[in-house]
Amino acid sequence: MSKPKTLADLIGKAMMPLCRKRGFASVDIVAAWPEIVGPRYGERVQPDRLSWPRRKNADGEDIAEPATLVVHTDGPTALMLSHETPQIIERINAFFGWAAVNRIKINQKPVTQRARTLPVSSRPLSTDEKSRVDRQVQGVENDRLREALRKLGEQVIAHDKTGAG
């Protein structure tokens, strides 16, 4: 019996041909768009395509140059976005890990709204479960790391469907 596939794996494979057609090497930028641009533009601006320049050097080899990212949004958001394009370009390039984009072209047209997903509520933990998590992280010296691990442990137990905790 094969292990279950994550939704991201299934969607990624289905969207890959469309993304490549639009100039995106992967679906990562489309999937991570709200995290890249932040809450102000995450729902109001959509990446449409990457337009890569086709230039060759004297030897006929392709020259790697940054792309133009074409996005679409409504009029008022386009005005705000135009003032913040340098910061958005920095965020996009930080996401890629290299200077992939040097320009953003803004097209004004309606943005299709993403379906909002409701957060899954977690069950309350028993005092025994909380104390077990506290015991497991007590050896961590860094306070911030210990607190983060404690929260993670509590969430894992709270969302455990098997009841094993």
Side-chain angles (χ1 to χ4, degrees):
M1 183 173 201
S2 66
K3 80 175 197 178
K5 295 184 179 184
T6 64
L7 185 59
D9 290 338
L10 296 172
I11 291 174
K13 289 178 184 175
M15 286 187 60
M16 188 63 72
L18 176 64
C19 286
R20 288 189 193 272
K21 183 177 178 181
R22 305 298 285 174
F24 298 108
S26 70
V27 299
D28 295 340
I29 189 173
V30 177
W33 183 251
E35 289 80 29
I36 294 170
V37 297
R40 175 182 279 175
Y41 300 119
E43 297 290 325
R44 299 166 68 186
V45 178
Q46 287 182 323
D48 186 38
R49 69 181 175 276
L50 281 171
S51 178
W52 296 94
R54 306 278 185 201
R55 292 192 174 73
K56 298 192 182 278
N57 63 12
D59 297 332
E61 297 175 1
D62 288 330
I63 298 173
E65 292 187 26
T68 298
L69 175 63
V70 180
V71 298
H72 59 268
T73 187
D74 59 19
T77 306
L79 180 63
M80 290 188 315
L81 181 66
S82 67
H83 291 289
E84 295 185 27
T85 53
Q87 293 88 356
I88 301 297
I89 290 171
E90 283 181 28
R91 289 179 181 180
I92 293 167
N93 289 337
F95 173 79
F96 279 122
W98 61 287
V101 174
N102 69 344
R103 182 172 171 258
I104 295 178
K105 180 180 176 187
I106 303 169
N107 289 336
Q108 292 184 31
K109 65 181 188 179
V111 174
T112 56
Q113 294 295 320
R114 293 180 181 208
R116 295 184 186 250
T117 57
L118 298 174
V120 177
S121 61
S122 56
R123 67 175 176 83
L125 297 181
S126 68
T127 55
D128 182 46
E129 290 171 326
K130 285 183 180 182
S131 64
R132 190 175 74 207
V133 171
D134 288 337
R135 284 192 309 270
Q136 289 176 331
V137 298
Q138 73 184 8
V140 178
E141 293 179 16
N142 184 306
D143 294 337
R144 290 179 59 201
L145 178 59
R146 184 176 51 251
E147 183 62 20
L149 289 171
R150 185 189 62 73
K151 287 179 182 178
L152 175 63
E154 287 179 356
Q155 289 298 312
V156 167
I157 292 171
H159 290 284
D160 185 13
K161 302 285 189 222
T162 63

